[in-house]
């Protein structure tokens, strides 16, 4: 019997037009997962005939509007295997107008591959305020994505010069260090899309580079303890729900914790629906069981596709079912370049795992002095740049949240304002609706 491979999700990040879709498509092609029939259809597309470099991008950008406009609009996945791992390749939009799709892809990724240009002008343009590159890096930091690979693209355009590669390495390393990421632990890989150099094989154009290819670097990334994740109560986070005629309601998402089995009775939150699992599907194959880190589709019985949407969490009805959140307490670090102040009763857009929502500050409980760790200011009026605070928030709509200690991937948050992250941290406590109701019922009897 063939041994089951461990799985990881790889998200490709970078500014618009840096080659994210093409690099992901080249990995599919290099690992021989591109169907000849699909490639033949792509070759017939008018845009590919005008620009043949788009052919592998269309393996990831599969909807008609993406191919006609030649840019990614929704995040997409592709399932491939190497000899030692199973990968879900995730391609995301690079434009800020698709921030929701961008966030879902970043949240689902276990490994972040940043695509940077070796052309100095193009690289510097990707770091401007109009670009989404730095926001993507900030969301990676906020959501705890520490496994990072950096790919230096367009090396054929700069005639494979090592100096161009080194400039990008040095400059981006400073940006990584700004967010407390050690650049010495990051693999920088120069590539050329023209000849698929350093994707899966090396050629003679860059003999000065002695490191691994992109696929070799991915295989070297360690895997999370999936037995520990599987031992926790079920948490399946959905980003979409669709209806397929003749089949029924299919919930699409990523299984973070626990295991999912056929005929299992499920509870949904924040809307309290119940359903059972008819089938579990991964890459058009039916599974007997869903395991952590898999991006899967689940066929649900007696549930309309209109009733659940992005951010809904599926759990076991008998084992710590997820609940609707009334308020939550978070420990946040305010960014050093934040020019304003956090105040009580203000509203901020908070990015959770796959969902973002406006929340109001109910109370600033503490300000932890960064210089003197022993000094704690109780009930401060404001928080400013560089402060670490403990704050209670109230969401303006229904949402399900978990604390960081029990479910680390679901317990991280970031506050984003005007395309910049202004604070990030972890959820310390969640006051759920059911817990609140239980307390209210007990109080009159005391």
């Amino acid at each position: 019997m063939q041994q089951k491979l461990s799985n990881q999700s790889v998200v490709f990040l970078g500014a618009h037009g840096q080659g994210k879709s093409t690099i992901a498509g080249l990995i599919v092609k290099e690992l021989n997962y591109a169907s000849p029939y699909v490639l033949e259809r792509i070759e017939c597309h008018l845009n590919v005939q005008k620009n043949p470099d788009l052919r592998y991008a269309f393996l990831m950008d599969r909807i008609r509007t993406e191919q006609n406009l030649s840019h990614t609009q929704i995040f997409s996945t592709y399932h491939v295997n190497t000899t030692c791992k199973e990968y879900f390749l995730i391609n995301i939009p690079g434009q800020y107008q698709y921030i929701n799709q961008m966030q879902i892809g970043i949240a689902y990724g276990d490994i972040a591959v940043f695509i940077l240009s070796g052309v100095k002008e193009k690289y510097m343009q990707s770091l401007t305020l109009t670009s989404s590159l730095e926001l993507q890096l900030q969301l990676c930091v906020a959501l705890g994505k520490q496994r990072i690979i950096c790919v230096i693209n367009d090396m054929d355009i700069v005639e494979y010069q090592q100096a161009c590669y080194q400039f990008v390495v040095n400059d981006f390393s400073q940006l990584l260090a700004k967010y407390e990421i050690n650049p010495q632990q990051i693999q920088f890989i120069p590539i050329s899309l023209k000849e698929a150099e350093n994707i899966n094989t090396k050629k003679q154009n860059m003999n000065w580079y002695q490191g691994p290819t992109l696929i070799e670097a991915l295989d070297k990334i360690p895997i999370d303890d999936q037995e520990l994740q599987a031992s926790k109560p079920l948490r399946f986070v959905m980003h979409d729900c669709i209806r397929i005629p003749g089949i029924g309601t299919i919930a699409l998402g990523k299984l973070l914790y626990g295991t999912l089995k056929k005929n299992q009775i499920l509870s949904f939150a924040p809307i309290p629906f119940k359903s059972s699992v008819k089938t579990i599907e991964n890459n058009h194959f039916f599974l007997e069981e869903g395991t952590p880190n898999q991006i899967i589709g689940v066929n649900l019985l007696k549930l309309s596709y209109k009733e659940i949407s992005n951010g809904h969490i599926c759990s076991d009805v008998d084992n710590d079912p997820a609940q609707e959140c009334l308020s939550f307490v978070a420990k946040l670090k305010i960014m050093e370049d934040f020019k304003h102040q956090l105040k009580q009763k203000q509203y901020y857009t908070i990015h959770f795992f796959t969902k973002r929502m406006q929340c109001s500050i109910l109370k600033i409980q503490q300000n932890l002095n960064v210089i003197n760790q022993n000094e704690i200011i109780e009930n401060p009026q404001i928080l400013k740049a560089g402060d670490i605070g403990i704050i209670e928030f109230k969401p303006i709509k229904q949402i399900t949240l978990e604390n960081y200690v029990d479910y680390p991937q679901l317990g991280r948050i970031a506050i984003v304002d005007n395309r910049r992250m202004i604070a990030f941290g972890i959820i310390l406590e969640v006051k759920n609706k059911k817990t609140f109701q239980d307390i209210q019922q007990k109080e009159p009897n005391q």
Side-chain angles (χ1 to χ4, degrees), residues 22 52 63 75 78 166 208 252 306 312 353 360 371 386 405 432:
T22 301
I63 65 174
F75 98 100
Y78 211 111
Q166 200 60 51
W208 44 265
L252 306 174
K306 296 180 180 179
H312 280 64
F353 187 68
S360 64
I371 300 175
V405 173
N432 289 325

Side-chain angles (χ1 to χ4, degrees), residues 226-252:
Q226 295 190 353
E227 290 186 5
L228 176 63
Q229 291 174 296
S231 67
K232 290 179 175 288
L234 175 66
R235 289 297 184 271
F236 172 60
V237 180
M238 290 166 280
H239 66 267
D240 199 5
C241 192
I242 60 175
R243 179 182 177 274
I244 300 178
I247 295 177
T249 299
I250 306 293
L252 306 174

Side-chain angles (χ1 to χ4, degrees), residues 327-379:
S327 66
F328 64 96
V329 178
K331 180 179 180 180
L332 294 176
K333 179 179 180 181
I334 315 300
M335 301 297 291
E336 296 287 349
D337 56 358
F338 181 50
K339 298 179 181 180
H340 305 285
Q341 298 173 339
L342 293 185
K343 299 178 182 178
Q344 190 172 319
K345 297 183 179 179
Q346 287 183 329
Y347 287 81
Y348 294 94
T349 300
I350 299 186
H351 289 241
F352 301 101
F353 187 68
T354 63
K355 194 175 183 67
R356 59 183 184 141
M357 180 181 292
Q358 279 211 326
C359 301
S360 64
I361 296 180
L362 292 180
K363 183 180 180 181
I364 302 177
Q365 297 181 356
Q366 292 180 347
N367 183 355
L368 311 177
N369 194 302
V370 179
I371 300 175
N372 183 1
Q373 296 290 337
N374 295 322
E375 182 183 349
I376 299 176
I377 303 173
E378 298 289 346
N379 302 320

Side-chain angles (χ1 to χ4, degrees), residues 15-35:
H16 173 62
Q18 298 292 325
K20 298 184 296 298
S21 303
T22 301
I23 290 174
L26 272 173
I27 292 177
V28 173
K29 180 255 182 183
E30 290 289 305
L31 293 176
N32 298 317
Y33 277 84
S35 163

Side-chain angles (χ1 to χ4, degrees), residues 91-151:
N91 183 45
I92 68 168
Q95 295 169 300
Y96 184 81
Q97 67 193 84
Y98 306 113
I99 181 65
N100 289 335
Q101 296 293 315
M102 190 187 299
Q103 182 181 342
I104 293 170
I106 293 172
Y108 281 0
D110 302 312
I111 305 170
V113 178
F114 281 90
I115 314 300
L116 311 170
S117 177
V119 180
K120 183 177 180 180
E121 295 76 13
K122 191 175 177 180
Y123 166 74
M124 297 305 294
Q125 179 65 30
S126 71
L127 294 176
T128 59
L129 289 175
T130 57
S131 170
S132 62
L133 174 62
E134 189 165 357
L135 177 59
Q136 292 173 17
L137 176 58
Q138 291 170 341
L139 289 175
C140 281
V141 172
L143 295 175
K145 311 299 179 182
Q146 293 291 326
R147 292 165 180 169
I148 296 174
I149 296 172
C150 293
V151 169

